[in-house]
Amino acid sequence: MDKAAVQNTSGSNPCTVTDVEETKIMIRILPIWLTLIFPSTLLSQGGTLFIKQGMSLNRHMGSNFQIPPASLAVFLPVLMLLVLIIYDRLLVPVCRRFTGNPRGITILQRMGVGMVLYTIAMVAAVITEMKRLDVVKSHGLAGDANAIVPRSMFILLPQYGVMGIAEAFLEVGKLEFFYDQAPESMQSLGTSLYAASLGVGAFSTVLYSPL
């Protein structure tokens, strides 16, 4: 790529050294962007698998009211906001004393914590689904698409809760990383990479087939 800044015999205008170096920086970001697509596929499960699980569970509160199956998703932004406050006000100052980093921990470490939490959320979802299917089999509900499993929808709260905490680490860290690492003249492109990782990850919904 360095040759792009060298005048050639055809007389065409070469790229500036700045253009070449900025392009190199964006290329170095791409492997991390590709890696972050996988957690985005997990995030999309909050609007697909989790809601499908809730539709098949007991959603009654009292005798005349049913909770909408997507209502538990409110725990995602609520927990995310709470964790962000705790992170900025408590965790960052404490970590800063030990690491000397103004951010407390590096952006990559923050995203790493988010990935671990996403994995825990998916493990919780798998365990919940296994228990749900066991109840379906024990009550002879297999094959009935409209059957309501005699388990409260609130058993989904752990996976929603952990995923909300994971968003505070990974999703905010992703946005901060792409904006921070991109050259000043290409920060809009860096921000678009964040949105692109979410968009590509959302295509994982085509792989989901309810049992």
Side-chain angles (χ1 to χ4, degrees):
M1 295 185 63
D2 292 336
K3 294 180 180 179
V6 178
Q7 183 75 45
N8 54 37
T9 55
S10 63
S12 60
N13 294 325
C15 298
T16 65
V17 175
T18 301
D19 291 337
V20 173
E21 294 303 318
E22 288 180 347
T23 303
K24 287 181 180 180
I25 291 173
M26 296 305 299
I27 291 176
R28 293 190 189 104
I29 292 176
L30 290 180
I32 297 178
W33 176 78
L34 291 172
T35 303
L36 293 175
I37 290 175
F38 296 100
S40 296
T41 65
L42 305 182
L43 178 63
S44 66
Q45 302 309 308
T48 53
L49 172 62
F50 292 2
I51 293 178
K52 198 69 178 177
Q53 288 176 316
M55 291 174 62
S56 67
L57 295 168
N58 182 8
R59 296 180 280 116
H60 283 88
M61 287 189 69
S63 57
N64 299 318
F65 180 72
Q66 283 193 11
I67 307 171
S71 61
L72 290 185
V74 72
F75 284 93
L76 292 176
V78 169
L79 280 171
M80 180 180 178
L81 291 174
L82 289 175
V83 172
L84 283 175
I85 295 172
I86 295 172
Y87 181 85
D88 288 334
R89 297 298 181 182
L90 296 178
L91 294 180
V92 170
V94 171
C95 293
R96 188 183 296 147
R97 294 178 183 176
F98 295 96
T99 64
N101 190 316
R103 292 190 173 99
I105 57 176
T106 66
I107 300 176
L108 291 179
Q109 289 172 336
R110 181 175 185 171
M111 292 193 296
V113 172
M115 288 184 179
V116 172
L117 290 173
Y118 267 122
T119 302
I120 294 174
M122 288 301 105
V123 170
V126 169
I127 294 174
T128 300
E129 182 67 4
M130 291 173 62
K131 291 183 177 180
R132 187 187 72 87
L133 292 177
D134 287 341
V135 175
V136 168
K137 294 177 182 178
S138 63
H139 286 75
L141 301 175
D144 186 355
N146 298 317
I148 299 299
V149 181
R151 287 291 183 275
S152 172
M153 188 175 72
F154 290 107
I155 65 173
L156 302 178
L157 282 180
Q159 61 203 56
Y160 272 111
V162 177
M163 182 166 286
I165 298 172
E167 283 191 52
F169 283 88
L170 181 57
E171 300 308 317
V172 176
K174 282 165 58 176
L175 182 57
E176 187 177 2
F177 172 80
F178 288 124
Y179 189 82
D180 181 72
Q181 296 298 312
E184 185 175 354
S185 63
M186 305 178 74
Q187 285 177 334
S188 59
L189 178 58
T191 305
S192 68
L193 287 176
Y194 163 76
S197 68
L198 297 176
V200 176
F203 278 105
S204 67
T205 55
V206 303
L207 305 177
Y208 169 65
S209 177
L211 298 177

